[in-house]
Amino acid sequence: MERRELLRLLASAGALPLLAPLARAAGTADDWQARFEAARTPWKTGFATPPDDLPLTRATVRGRFPDAVAGTLLRIGPAGHDLGGERYHHWFDGDGMVHRFVIDGPDVRHQGRYVATPKRVAEVRAGRRLFEAFGTMPPGVEPPTSADSINVANTSVLPMQGEVLALWEGGSATRVDARTLETLGVKTWRPDLAGMPFSAHPKVDPDGTVWNFGVSSGQGLLALYEIAPEGTLRRAAVVPVADMPMVHDFAVTERHMVFLMPPLVYDGKRKEAGASFLDAHVWRPELGMRALVIDKQNWERRQMLTLPAGFLFHVGNAWEDETPSGTLIHIDYVRSDNADSVFTTNREVMRARVVRSTHPRLTVATLNLGTGKATQQALAQEAEFPRIDPRRVGLRHRQVVHATQIRPDLPGFGAIARTDVESGRSQRFSYGTQAMVEEHVFVPDGTKPGWVLGTVLDFGRQKTVLSCFAADHLAAGPVAQATLPYALPLGLHGAFVPA
């Protein structure tokens, strides 16, 4: 796409590429905060609001962390859930807090800081919520002046050139100092891209090239980015997508970008009527799960295939091979039958209630670009937060690390697993009945099997624990653990940076 055409489309998208919100008149206070405070469930610590930043604190270490995991585990998630007696109505709404676990053999230290976005700074100063959020319309909210005025920077992190980019769905990445976690301001890839959505799941090719996207729901546009390993923008464009769905993640292969698009479709009329961004979406299963495949070299070459209707947040990985019938793309992702989890499950935890939705399953799909046919197979494993060896992004892989073991009395998962997506064989480690698992990442170790590193909320002891496993002996349990003297709010995604 020519630069002139990109500028025209960006201008037509307006200042708010994700939301075109309608301010709601002031109303009476609701009882979500009171219900949360009154609940006796010990796991609610995972959804509590730390009153301040968390200074660098030494953990209690059992065992020794391997040399290959010497470095920093970065994590981020929603943490500022309530303000001025008002509580958000969705887990994804909270102001982001970024964490770093500095690992050095027998020594592990933790630090956490809120991302000082313009939104958080203005609201903390005012002592109340000023803007709408993903799933909440607080009373008396003001129309935002830009997408970044409502940016919560709470979903994922991308280490880049000595900094950390704190990522959200609907606006700019936010620059954070990798050593101090001080907020440095928004990342603008190019002046005409200021405020454009830069999504939370960029993919990094083995050669260091970064690929990402952003969704402009109101305008039906999908933004595409290609960024060089040194952090400079190579290309950006927007492409139109009819019936724009909620897209959280994507995959890359050696030659393609792959978007699985659930039939959760944006309805601008609902937004104009005052709905939150989430509630402006409608479930339209007749659309199926559309799979948009875009050529990496020529973004004008696009193909749409269709899978059975379903919902997803996260993709593991994708790879391609050539057959007599054409190019096959294999992609594994976490599939649910519907979107109940985002509408109900992830809302009710904000008042300390468990409402179970359909169980997400690790699923492997095959897209035949020659015939235009798409098929899939669900594996036996309940799953979320899939991660692979980062050296295999876009390449053939077999092993996926993921959370598993759903319990009816708790939100989330209680175990970590490593599953072979070709054979279906899986090994797991259960953290016990008083634990809630967060995302675990794979850490390479040369030609050795590597390590699995991640955190869990031990709500029985009201502490957060960092664990390290031998990747090929996950069921044997952690080789080392670091226990913090406090519990952190449950987060979303992270990244490991070697020392």
Side-chain angles (χ1 to χ4, degrees):
M1 180 177 293
E2 293 183 0
R3 184 177 174 87
R4 180 178 300 174
E5 176 66 4
L6 173 59
L7 289 170
R8 184 189 68 78
L9 287 171
L10 293 179
S12 69
L16 299 178
L18 176 62
L19 305 177
L22 179 69
R24 196 169 81 177
T28 58
D30 60 52
D31 64 350
W32 283 57
Q33 181 66 21
R35 288 193 180 195
F36 182 80
E37 292 175 352
R40 297 181 180 273
T41 49
W43 54 260
K44 74 178 187 179
T45 305
F47 304 95
T49 297
D52 298 298
D53 294 340
L54 302 169
L56 194 63
T57 301
R58 181 167 276 106
T60 300
V61 175
R62 179 184 63 82
R64 180 183 175 85
F65 285 81
D67 292 342
V69 300
T72 301
L73 176 67
L74 296 160
R75 287 192 49 75
I76 199 169
H81 298 298
D82 53 73
L83 182 67
E86 294 285 337
R87 186 164 177 81
Y88 276 139
H89 295 185
H90 202 287
W91 181 31
F92 299 166
D93 291 342
D95 297 317
M97 176 176 271
V98 63
H99 305 270
R100 67 183 186 114
F101 293 83
V102 182
I103 305 167
D104 184 11
D107 184 61
V108 175
R109 290 159 290 160
H110 166 264
Q111 179 187 11
R113 291 185 72 169
Y114 280 104
V115 184
T117 62
K119 170 194 175 294
R120 176 167 174 81
V121 170
E123 291 184 332
V124 169
R125 183 182 298 121
R128 66 180 182 88
R129 295 300 181 195
L130 302 175
F131 305 107
E132 70 171 279
F134 171 79
T136 309
M137 290 287 287
V141 293
E142 304 168 4
T145 56
S146 70
D148 285 333
S149 70
I150 54 176
N151 191 335
V152 288
N154 70 0
T155 309
S156 192
V157 291
L158 175 64
M160 179 173 284
Q161 299 298 306
E163 293 182 347
V164 178
L165 298 184
L167 306 177
W168 183 52
E169 303 286 14
S172 303
T174 302
R175 298 167 50 236
V176 174
D177 186 283
R179 186 180 61 85
T180 67
L181 303 186
E182 177 186 2
T183 302
L184 304 175
V186 298
K187 175 70 175 180
T188 301
W189 299 102
R190 203 170 62 202
D192 58 300
L193 298 174
M196 278 296 290
F198 187 82
S199 199
H201 286 284
K203 303 302 177 186
V204 184
D205 275 345
D207 69 357
T209 299
V210 177
W211 303 87
N212 204 9
F213 73 100
V215 173
S216 179
S217 298
Q219 291 72 34
L221 297 174
L222 184 70
L224 305 176
Y225 301 87
E226 180 186 357
I227 299 164
E230 65 272 15
T232 58
L233 182 71
R234 283 178 179 159
R235 281 188 295 167
V238 289
V239 298
V241 175
D243 298 315
M244 177 61 78
M246 185 181 294
V247 183
H248 177 71
D249 197 358
F250 79 123
V252 296
T253 68
E254 289 185 276
R255 295 186 293 131
H256 296 93
M257 307 168 76
V258 186
F259 298 86
L260 296 183
M261 297 182 161
L264 186 61
V265 175
Y266 183 81
D267 183 345
K269 292 182 179 179
R270 290 191 174 209
K271 193 75 197 74
E272 292 171 3
S276 70
F277 175 69
L278 170 60
D279 294 311
H281 285 78
V282 181
W283 184 250
R284 293 180 54 192
E286 71 276 10
L287 294 174
M289 174 88 77
R290 292 171 292 165
L292 174 62
V293 181
I294 301 177
D295 189 292
K296 276 182 169 180
Q297 299 303 315
N298 181 359
W299 292 348
E300 297 299 322
R301 296 182 60 184
R302 303 189 290 271
Q303 185 173 351
M304 191 78 81
L305 301 87
T306 305
L307 289 161
F311 182 73
L312 79 152
F313 283 122
H314 299 118
V315 174
N317 190 41
W319 58 278
E320 61 191 48
D321 61 4
E322 296 297 329
T323 71
S325 65
T327 300
L328 296 184
I329 292 179
H330 308 268
I331 180 169
D332 48 78
Y333 72 104
V334 176
R335 180 188 180 277
S336 298
D337 289 338
N338 55 50
D340 287 353
S341 61
V342 68
F343 280 103
T344 304
T345 305
N346 290 319
R347 267 195 163 123
E348 291 302 320
V349 294
M350 298 309 292
R351 45 185 170 186
R353 295 182 64 229
V354 177
V355 177
R356 183 61 58 202
S357 56
T358 58
H359 289 189
R361 299 278 180 179
L362 193 59
T363 301
V364 180
T366 300
L367 313 177
N368 189 321
L369 303 188
T371 65
K373 302 295 184 181
T375 60
Q376 66 183 15
Q377 178 184 3
L379 303 183
Q381 288 76 20
E382 301 162 342
E384 247 310 345
F385 299 125
R387 296 295 296 263
I388 67 160
D389 182 338
R391 299 170 298 185
R392 304 304 301 170
V393 170
L395 305 176
R396 185 166 187 167
H397 71 295
R398 295 187 64 163
Q399 303 295 333
V400 176
V401 175
H402 58 91
T404 193
Q405 186 180 293
I406 293 174
R407 287 183 50 194
D409 57 331
L410 294 176
F413 300 84
I416 188 69
R418 185 173 184 242
T419 298
D420 186 319
V421 293
E422 291 191 11
S423 70
R425 290 191 295 269
S426 185
Q427 58 169 307
R428 69 170 60 185
F429 174 81
S430 176
Y431 278 98
T433 60
Q434 294 185 307
M436 294 166 66
V437 171
E438 297 185 276
E439 179 190 69
H440 285 47
V441 301
F442 182 92
V443 180
D445 189 2
T447 60
K448 299 177 183 178
W451 307 93
V452 173
L453 189 65
T455 48
V456 62
L457 170 63
D458 181 340
F459 60 82
R461 294 188 293 164
Q462 293 292 300
K463 299 179 186 295
T464 290
V465 181
L466 172 69
S467 300
C468 180
F469 302 82
D472 57 340
H473 292 93
L474 196 68
V479 300
Q481 288 188 307
T483 302
L484 298 180
Y486 42 75
L488 301 176
L490 289 167
L492 293 172
H493 301 291
F496 176 76
V497 180

